[in-house]
Amino acid sequence: MKTSFVIIFLIFQLVGFKLHASESDNSIQILLINATNQDMPWQKSVELGLRKELSSRNYGFDLFVENMDVGRFNEGAQKHIVGTYLKQKYKNKPIDIIITQSPSAAALLSELTDFYATVPRIYLEPGAQFTLPKHIKGSIIQAKLDYKQATLNAVTIAKPEKLIVILDTKNDIGLNFYQSLLPIISEHFSHLEIENWFDIPAEELINKVQAAPKNAIILFTPIFRRYDNKRQSPYQFVSILAKNSRAPIFSYWHVLLGTGVVGGYMLSGDKIGERAADAVIYYYNHGKLKPLNGENLSAHYYDWRQLKAFNFDTITLPKGSSVLYYTPTYFEQNKTLIYSAFAIIIILSSCLGFVLYLNNKRVGLLNALDLEKLKLESRVEQRTEELVIAKEEAEHLATVKSDFLANMSHEIRTPMNGIIGLTDILLEDNLPQKHKHLLDKIKYSSDQLLVVINDILDFSKIEAGQINLEEYAFSINSVVDYITTMFESQAIDKGIEFSVVVNPKVPTSLIGDIVRINQVLLNLCSNAIKFTPYGKVLVTIEAEPFTEQSNATLLHFIVKDSGVGIAEQNLPTMFDSFTQADSSTTRKFGGTGLGLSISKRLCELMNGDISVTSTQGVGSEFTATMKVLVDKQPKPEKAKCGVFKSSVDVLVVDESVLALNTIDKQIKALGLNCTICISAEQAIKQIKSKHYKVVIADWGLHKKGNESLFVKLNELSVNKPGVVILMTQLNANAIFDEAKALNIDAVLQKPLKDKLLFEVIKSNLDNTAAAPSKGTNTLLSGLSILMAEDNAINQLIVTDALEKRGGKIHIVENGLECINALKTQRFDLILMDIHMPIMDGVEATKQIRKHSEAHIANIPIIALTANVMEKDIAFYMSLGVNAHVAKPLKTQTLISTILQCAQSANPSLNNDNSEY
């Protein structure tokens, strides 16, 4: 049976040998013979050092590795089998140099007198007794380990009373340690109690190590053992010993670091491999081997985990020691998170304490009421009422849960409005970059917390079955516009490509819940961009007939990215609640783990589903399927903007090719001639050769490369453009003053909106002396706004936002003051907080709508509140509120809502502001 195995093994090796026959004849042909098997870490480290050094010095080589495996089989038998195998396999193979590793391999090669007798040989660690055979060209690297110094360092660090040596004397490796190490220990460390544990079976050795006293140290030399019916390498066996050892274990091999040994003055296999590679290269260049020495092949290496486990001070380590596997404390890793959590806990604890106080008062009142009922009602009536109460409590459990979440949401959103609003105000000021960076971090953290709150509320509503899908007519083009507007600038900032492709088979006019469809796409696209460091994100929209309903179709939204991907084992749980691909505390991207779960539930409510395929390191592909109705009588879409009757030459300058292509399409859709340039130099050259009435340029070109496009435009004597429009992704107000100083006619926020772009170009062409863009600081010009709000921080935030845009604001602190102010002064609109002292927003709205004077009763009212539950919003609207804006306030949403309500009440107001 053994003979058959050997024959089959030889056949496969010979076939493998032939596969290498086509390799380059110019490369160095190296044969490496190891004494142990290919899984031994020491052999791997030597081979790795050899390969790395040869590759780093750009020498072509073919390395053939053969392993004797004497650790698991009888050494004598293996020498015979491997010797026969080598002669057969390499019978006709040219070899330039042979390298042996360990005494057994050196002994084997010495016995093969007719095996490549003229080929030079390098013997790595052949043993102290080895001598170079006569008539053989060769060099020896006898790694010189200073056993005295290594042992002395271990004794200095641990200060033991006993020295235990684990060693085998029945193989060449162990015998070499025995001959070199034992005399030094006997001579220089006789003042310590010395125990020699030689050739001890595995079970007994494990028990002895477990019983070793704490005041001892164990010196581990490489040994092989069979344990638990498995052959254990030194690397594996020392791991078993170290698990339950009370005494620290030191060793002499660097490769054993990480198994549980403390470390020591260790021999490095990588360095030995590099030394051998240097000898090979010298032979290749000079045709002879140079003498080799075994110096400087060791260094001090220590495992920080073991130093800590045995309370060893790193100060006692030798100078220049390498401490590996350092693990920072949990506090060091999560300092910012801990501080933030502590602050949040304090805030929430205060809220909880107040709630508990009110609850205790409520319980006291209920108890008093129960006592009165006990006196007035019979026992039967009491039991009946208790049953009714219990029944009602059970029926309203979901309502109580929903109310609790709504209240907690309100309590959290109110201070968050202050944090986000004040941060926005500060960011608009001319602060030092360091302070702006810190404010950006605060704003990002606040926005993330708001996402968490919204996710929890959505999840709660879905769990309670309170999500009602709407059915409204919409165009697939509006979906494309939405996701393009939301994510195109994010993709540009990140340097990735973002594109949307609609299959021609997708119907244009549909009926469904576009809000929920956009919510799913918002989650999928934001995840795709978040987890894509480079490359692209592609959204493909396809459709197929819904067989169960003739007037319905299934939409497939396929979001494909080239990002980090998802591990295969995490795919089955991707859509579980509170689950993420990486749930560790050190995960890079964060999140609640609810987004995909909510998206899946929404798709299921729309008779669809979500699926995912992913390859880690390549990217992911999410497919969201939803059923919608096909609108058989579609209404014509309202034109987004006008078209110029006469064509005008427009020059667009931007360093982003993607942005240029997008704006080029927008300009041409307005009926204008568009020329695009990718640099300031190219633009100036183009302007000198042709007159352009309008120049639209990105703010990033200002002072780009010590050249300012806008300064050069002002210096032109001929072909000077009539209108200069600046586009930016920054806050427009932050750069307004500087833009004005550069004689810029308008400032627009990216991404550009078609109608606003049309109006700005038209108004500036009609009157070149007009003020800067209507989209910047005059949106609310002429509007008189009354704000009822008792929170000083909210007053400050809203006042700052409205006054910067030309609005006039008058502030009162409760509903009663609001009604009195309406009697003495005319206002265009009211911003009404709900929770206020004396008279809240609900009561104030009721009285305003009942007022006898029409201009007061019909004034537009916008509710500003942290209450965001659908039933709350529906209640406010039923009172006569015209619109609702949730706290924390988003400035753009607030301004847009004010403009819509004001224009609805007074159509004579400038309609240009409607495209804010």
Side-chain angles (χ1 to χ4, degrees):
M1 185 68 182
K2 290 183 178 179
T3 304
S4 301
F5 173 77
V6 171
I7 293 172
I8 294 172
F9 181 70
L10 287 172
I11 290 172
F12 276 104
Q13 292 296 330
L14 287 171
V15 171
F17 168 76
K18 291 180 180 180
L19 292 176
H20 291 281
S22 62
E23 295 177 352
S24 173
D25 294 335
N26 295 325
S27 59
I28 309 172
Q29 307 296 307
I30 306 170
L31 174 60
L32 173 62
I33 304 175
N34 289 323
T36 55
N37 62 66
Q38 68 271 19
D39 295 324
M40 285 291 290
W42 176 257
Q43 313 299 341
K44 287 183 178 179
S45 66
V46 173
E47 181 183 338
L48 178 63
L50 178 64
R51 290 183 183 273
K52 182 172 64 176
E53 183 67 14
L54 289 172
S55 299
S56 67
R57 294 172 66 173
N58 298 321
Y59 277 85
F61 66 94
D62 295 327
L63 180 61
F64 303 91
V65 182
E66 304 296 348
N67 301 288
M68 295 176 63
D69 208 0
V70 298
R72 296 188 295 177
F73 301 99
N74 179 270
E75 183 171 344
Q78 285 300 101
K79 285 181 179 180
H80 175 72
I81 292 173
V82 175
T84 303
Y85 159 70
L86 290 174
K87 289 179 181 180
Q88 184 65 31
K89 179 177 179 180
Y90 294 93
K91 183 176 181 181
N92 298 314
K93 173 67 178 175
I95 295 295
D96 296 319
I97 195 164
I98 301 176
I99 303 174
T100 67
Q101 168 65 23
S102 299
S104 298
L108 169 65
L109 193 59
S110 297
E111 294 174 7
L112 299 177
T113 57
D114 57 343
F115 183 70
Y116 292 104
T118 61
V119 173
R121 306 172 181 186
I122 300 174
Y123 298 92
L124 306 181
E125 300 181 282
Q129 306 303 320
F130 180 81
T131 58
L132 194 65
K134 294 180 179 180
H135 310 300
I136 293 295
K137 294 185 296 183
S139 292
I140 298 174
I141 298 180
Q142 197 70 268
K144 295 180 180 180
L145 176 59
D146 191 340
Y147 291 101
K148 177 183 175 182
Q149 183 62 41
T151 308
L152 179 61
N153 287 340
V155 171
T156 302
I157 293 171
K159 299 179 177 57
E161 298 177 6
K162 178 183 288 189
L163 200 62
I164 300 171
V165 181
I166 296 177
L167 191 144
D168 274 356
T169 62
K170 296 181 180 180
N171 59 58
D172 291 341
I173 298 175
L175 191 60
N176 184 51
F177 272 94
Y178 178 82
Q179 294 169 346
S180 302
L181 177 61
L182 264 295
I184 291 174
I185 291 177
S186 300
E187 179 181 354
H188 297 285
F189 299 96
S190 57
H191 62 285
L192 299 175
E193 181 183 350
I194 300 173
E195 287 190 17
N196 295 325
W197 294 355
F198 296 168
D199 306 315
I200 299 176
E203 294 287 351
E204 181 182 349
L205 186 57
I206 291 172
N207 293 332
K208 290 176 73 69
V209 168
Q210 290 178 350
K214 293 182 179 180
N215 62 352
I217 64 172
I218 298 173
L219 301 180
F220 180 83
T221 65
I223 64 173
F224 296 85
R225 287 292 184 275
R226 177 169 290 279
Y227 178 72
D228 197 18
N229 293 323
K230 296 179 181 177
R231 185 68 174 176
Q232 306 289 336
S233 68
Y235 188 92
Q236 297 167 322
F237 192 59
V238 73
S239 299
I240 297 172
L241 296 178
K243 283 182 180 178
N244 299 305
S245 175
R246 296 186 302 165
I249 300 176
F250 291 81
S251 186
Y252 302 92
W253 277 8
H254 173 232
V255 75
L256 295 181
L257 200 67
T259 61
V261 301
V262 176
Y265 189 63
M266 298 179 138
L267 190 62
S268 172
D270 284 351
K271 291 186 177 181
I272 292 175
E274 292 171 2
R275 186 71 55 83
D278 184 64
V280 171
I281 293 170
Y282 185 87
Y283 171 76
Y284 183 78
N285 291 332
H286 300 89
K288 62 179 181 179
L289 290 170
K290 66 178 181 179
L292 302 173
N293 64 73
E295 303 290 345
N296 301 320
L297 297 175
S298 301
H300 295 281
Y301 299 98
Y302 295 92
D303 188 330
W304 180 85
R305 299 169 299 183
Q306 303 306 317
L307 293 173
K308 182 180 179 182
F310 291 102
N311 296 318
F312 292 152
D313 195 338
T314 55
I315 297 176
T316 63
L317 301 181
K319 186 177 181 180
S321 297
S322 297
V323 179
L324 308 178
Y325 303 105
Y326 172 74
T327 304
T329 64
Y330 181 83
F331 179 78
E332 291 173 333
Q333 288 179 317
N334 303 280
K335 185 187 301 183
T336 302
L337 179 62
I338 291 173
Y339 285 145
S340 301
F342 183 69
I344 293 173
I345 289 172
I346 292 176
I347 295 172
L348 295 180
S349 297
S350 301
C351 296
L352 181 61
F354 182 68
V355 171
L356 291 175
Y357 169 75
L358 294 178
N359 185 64
N360 288 335
K361 291 191 68 175
R362 181 183 64 84
V363 170
L365 293 173
L366 289 175
N367 289 336
L369 181 61
D370 288 340
L371 290 175
E372 291 299 323
K373 287 182 178 180
L374 286 172
K375 297 177 182 179
L376 300 174
E377 299 175 358
S378 66
R379 188 172 184 178
V380 175
E381 291 174 342
Q382 178 188 358
R383 287 184 178 180
T384 303
E385 187 173 29
E386 287 174 352
L387 290 174
V388 172
I389 292 173
K391 180 177 179 293
E392 290 176 349
E393 288 179 351
E395 291 174 347
H396 290 86
L397 182 60
T399 304
V400 172
K401 175 184 175 182
S402 177
D403 290 343
F404 173 76
L405 286 173
N407 291 334
M408 291 307 297
S409 172
H410 179 274
E411 295 302 321
I412 296 173
R413 284 172 181 271
T414 298
M416 279 190 63
N417 182 58
I419 296 171
I420 295 175
L422 293 175
T423 301
D424 287 337
I425 293 174
L426 290 174
L427 283 171
E428 292 177 356
D429 290 340
N430 188 21
L431 296 175
Q433 189 60 36
K434 176 182 177 182
H435 294 172
K436 284 193 174 184
H437 176 72
L438 295 175
L439 289 169
D440 284 335
K441 295 294 185 184
I442 294 174
K443 181 172 176 57
Y444 174 79
S445 300
S446 302
D447 289 340
Q448 292 304 303
L449 182 55
L450 189 59
V451 170
V452 172
I453 296 169
N454 290 335
D455 280 351
I456 292 174
L457 288 176
D458 275 347
F459 182 76
S460 174
K461 287 188 285 186
I462 292 174
E463 287 288 292
Q466 296 176 354
I467 292 288
N468 296 317
L469 297 178
E470 306 288 346
E471 287 192 350
Y472 293 107
F474 69 93
S475 169
I476 196 67
N477 296 328
S478 64
V479 177
V480 175
D481 289 344
Y482 174 77
I483 58 178
T484 301
T485 301
M486 288 296 296
F487 298 108
E488 189 171 58
S489 61
Q490 293 183 33
I492 293 173
D493 290 342
K494 202 169 182 182
I496 62 176
E497 179 184 348
F498 180 82
S499 57
V500 182
V501 177
V502 182
N503 191 297
K505 295 182 179 179
V506 177
T508 301
S509 301
L510 302 167
I511 298 175
D513 195 332
I514 189 173
V515 174
R516 296 305 179 183
I517 292 173
N518 285 340
Q519 182 177 353
V520 173
L521 290 177
L522 182 69
N523 182 269
L524 296 182
C525 293
S526 62
N527 281 347
I529 291 179
K530 180 196 301 184
F531 294 104
T532 302
Y534 54 86
K536 64 180 180 180
V537 174
L538 173 64
V539 181
T540 305
I541 306 177
E542 298 178 349
E544 65 171 309
F546 188 65
T547 56
E548 300 177 9
Q549 192 173 348
S550 60
N551 65 333
T553 186
L554 282 177
L555 290 181
H556 300 288
F557 296 94
I558 304 167
V559 181
K560 185 175 183 180
D561 64 67
S562 59
V564 298
I566 304 166
E568 184 177 356
Q569 64 270 20
N570 294 327
L571 291 176
T573 60
M574 282 302 299
F575 301 102
D576 291 350
S577 304
F578 306 102
T579 300
Q580 293 177 315
D582 177 9
S583 59
S584 67
T585 57
T586 58
R587 63 179 183 265
K588 179 179 179 182
F589 300 101
T592 62
L594 284 176
L596 287 177
S597 176
I598 293 171
S599 298
K600 184 176 179 65
R601 301 288 184 92
L602 291 175
C603 287
E604 290 172 347
L605 287 174
M606 290 184 276
N607 298 105
D609 202 353
I610 284 186
S611 62
V612 59
T613 60
S614 182
T615 301
Q616 200 161 17
V618 176
S620 304
E621 180 176 305
F622 284 82
T623 301
T625 302
M626 312 165 197
K627 188 202 82 172
V628 294
L629 300 179
V630 179
D631 191 355
K632 300 297 184 180
Q633 297 179 337
K635 298 178 181 179
E637 292 189 45
K638 183 180 178 180
K640 294 183 178 179
C641 61
V643 176
F644 286 90
K645 295 180 180 179
S646 60
S647 181
V648 172
D649 291 325
V650 179
L651 180 69
V652 180
V653 193
D654 198 313
E655 292 182 323
S656 169
V657 176
L658 181 60
L660 281 175
N661 292 336
T662 301
I663 300 170
D664 178 61
K665 294 178 182 177
Q666 290 178 284
I667 296 295
K668 290 178 179 177
L670 299 178
L672 303 175
N673 299 325
C674 183
T675 302
I676 60 176
C677 293
I678 201 166
S679 67
E681 292 76 9
Q682 184 182 0
I684 293 297
K685 183 178 179 181
Q686 188 70 28
I687 291 172
K688 288 180 178 179
S689 64
K690 181 179 179 180
H691 180 254
Y692 291 90
K693 286 191 175 182
V694 180
V695 172
I696 304 174
D698 184 69
W699 180 243
L701 296 166
H702 180 50
K703 296 182 181 178
K704 187 74 173 181
N706 298 322
E707 295 289 343
S708 172
L709 173 63
F710 306 104
V711 172
K712 285 190 174 184
L713 290 176
N714 288 323
E715 294 174 351
L716 288 174
S717 57
V718 294
N719 291 345
K720 188 171 184 178
V723 178
V724 178
I725 298 173
L726 183 151
M727 52 186 176
T728 178
Q729 291 181 348
L730 304 174
N731 185 296
N733 289 324
I735 62 174
F736 174 73
D737 292 336
E738 191 172 358
K740 185 176 181 182
L742 292 169
N743 294 322
I744 292 170
D745 298 290
V747 181
L748 296 180
Q749 195 94 23
K750 283 186 175 180
L752 305 183
K753 296 182 179 180
D754 292 340
K755 185 170 183 179
L756 183 59
L757 180 62
F758 172 81
E759 295 294 344
V760 169
I761 294 176
K762 183 177 183 300
S763 63
N764 280 282
L765 285 175
D766 292 342
N767 183 8
T768 55
S773 172
K774 299 174 184 178
T776 57
N777 69 342
T778 59
L779 285 170
L780 305 180
S781 178
L783 283 181
S784 180
I785 301 169
L786 175 62
M787 179 180 183
E789 170 64 72
D790 64 318
N791 186 291
I793 294 177
N794 293 340
Q795 293 173 1
L796 174 62
I797 293 169
V798 175
T799 300
D800 181 84
L802 301 189
E803 288 183 348
K804 282 182 177 178
R805 290 158 179 83
K808 295 181 180 180
I809 185 165
H810 180 79
I811 297 176
V812 294
E813 295 192 351
N814 57 65
L816 183 60
E817 292 181 7
C818 176
I819 294 173
N820 292 334
L822 290 172
K823 296 176 181 178
T824 61
Q825 186 176 347
R826 276 186 175 270
F827 296 96
D828 297 303
L829 180 141
I830 300 174
L831 300 179
M832 182 76 74
D833 184 27
I834 298 300
H835 299 283
M836 293 182 292
I838 302 177
M839 180 185 291
D840 62 16
V842 172
E843 183 60 30
T845 300
K846 291 179 180 179
Q847 293 193 23
I848 290 171
R849 292 302 181 225
K850 294 178 181 178
H851 202 278
S852 59
E853 297 185 35
H855 75 276
I856 295 178
N858 297 324
I859 188 171
I861 301 176
I862 299 175
L864 304 183
T865 176
N867 293 336
V868 295
M869 302 298 283
E870 290 182 2
K871 65 175 185 179
D872 294 329
I873 298 173
F875 173 66
Y876 303 148
M877 302 299 283
S878 69
L879 297 176
V881 169
N882 298 80
H884 172 272
V885 177
K887 296 178 183 177
L889 301 174
K890 291 189 178 295
T891 302
Q892 182 170 343
T893 303
L894 176 61
I895 301 302
S896 177
T897 305
I898 289 174
L899 291 173
Q900 291 173 6
C901 291
Q903 291 167 6
S904 297
N906 186 4
S908 64
L909 289 174
N910 192 341
N911 288 330
D912 292 348
N913 292 338
S914 64
E915 288 295 324
Y916 176 76

